[in-house]
Amino acid sequence: MEALGGYPTKSPSPRARVLTVLLCMAVGAGCLFLLQTRLLRPRKPEDFYSFEVKDARGRSVSLERYRGKASLVVNVASESAQTEPNYRSMQELHRELATSHFNVLAFPCGQFGETEPRTSRDIEAHAKSTYGTTFPFFSKIKIMGSEADPAFKFLTDSVQKIPKWNFWKFLVNPEGKVVRFWRTDESMDDVRQEATALVREIILKKRVEL
């Protein structure tokens, strides 16, 4: 066989053809594997409402149900010296600001001494019967160390602080971003003021959109 310029060309050997085919197949398989890996890889949650958690009965719950609202997320405990004043003030705020725009979300934690010895269901029942709480309780979690709950870790990573005790409070906006946090000993009046202002923003925005 001759090329256009009149010079003879050498046909590839059968061995070379086989190697070329095998190389193409290997490259194709590699590309397909990378594509599948990227498509199947779970997407990293981008905000607090992107996570799934367990409720007090151990059932999976998507936090998407709270998107569009303001949320006060709190690590709670039943036997802390701060339990009664916090539960009562949190319930009052939960009732005042209405669940259509705001929720207190309680995450029990047993990592601070013996302040939370109960099971998740008992924690919720005790808070309801003793303090009249109506806000959601979730399953007891860890918020420190390698076993920290991913949703709560998102909060602590956002503020670059890990709670030193019970009843740290994280204010999450309608888009799932942390906008403020308060330590245990900080005034609930400040929490109320900030949460109320955020709820007002939500209401005004909805009125403009109508």
Side-chain angles (χ1 to χ4, degrees):
M1 180 177 178
E2 294 186 359
L4 292 177
Y7 296 98
T9 59
K10 186 177 180 181
S11 299
S13 67
R15 177 186 174 86
R17 290 197 194 100
V18 171
L19 289 174
T20 301
V21 171
L22 290 174
L23 179 62
C24 290
M25 290 175 64
V27 171
C31 292
L32 182 61
F33 174 77
L34 290 174
L35 180 61
Q36 282 186 319
T37 301
R38 295 196 65 176
L39 290 174
L40 296 176
R41 184 186 301 163
R43 193 173 64 178
K44 184 179 179 181
E46 298 176 353
D47 60 73
F48 181 69
Y49 300 130
S50 299
F51 288 89
E52 282 197 359
V53 296
K54 301 287 187 182
D55 67 10
R57 295 174 179 267
R59 299 170 298 193
S60 294
V61 176
S62 173
L63 292 174
E64 280 291 335
R65 65 172 62 184
Y66 302 107
R67 188 177 296 279
K69 303 179 182 182
S71 299
L72 187 69
V73 188
V74 189
N75 62 299
V76 303
S78 303
E79 303 294 336
S80 173
Q82 297 84 15
T83 299
E84 181 171 359
N86 272 278
Y87 273 166
R88 295 201 185 282
S89 58
M90 287 158 56
Q91 174 58 28
E92 184 179 351
L93 186 61
H94 183 76
R95 186 182 65 251
E96 283 178 5
L97 297 184
T99 57
S100 56
H101 304 296
F102 175 82
N103 283 284
V104 170
L105 306 179
F107 285 82
C109 177
Q111 289 184 293
F112 300 108
E114 299 298 321
T115 57
E116 190 50 275
R118 293 178 169 85
T119 64
S120 300
R121 295 183 70 168
D122 288 343
I123 293 165
E124 181 181 41
H126 172 74
K128 285 183 176 181
S129 62
T130 307
Y131 306 108
T133 58
T134 59
F135 47 80
F137 275 76
F138 297 94
S139 181
K140 188 160 75 169
I141 62 169
K142 292 182 179 179
I143 61 177
M144 299 181 294
S146 60
E147 297 181 69
D149 178 83
F152 215 94
K153 189 174 186 303
F154 173 85
L155 303 178
T156 58
D157 285 350
S158 296
V159 301
Q160 294 297 297
K161 298 286 183 182
I162 297 175
K164 301 291 191 293
W165 197 245
N166 307 300
F167 295 101
W168 277 43
K169 303 169 185 72
F170 300 82
L171 184 61
V172 179
N173 69 12
E175 292 75 40
K177 305 298 184 183
V178 181
V179 293
R180 279 290 305 273
F181 81 97
W182 295 267
R183 297 174 177 84
T184 310
D185 57 351
E186 294 187 84
S187 172
M188 193 66 188
D189 289 336
D190 188 34
V191 178
R192 177 179 284 101
Q193 183 177 350
E194 292 287 337
T196 301
L198 184 54
V199 167
R200 284 175 181 163
E201 287 181 18
I202 295 170
I203 294 172
L204 289 173
K205 184 178 180 181
K206 287 185 176 182
R207 285 177 181 174
V208 171
E209 292 173 349
L210 291 176

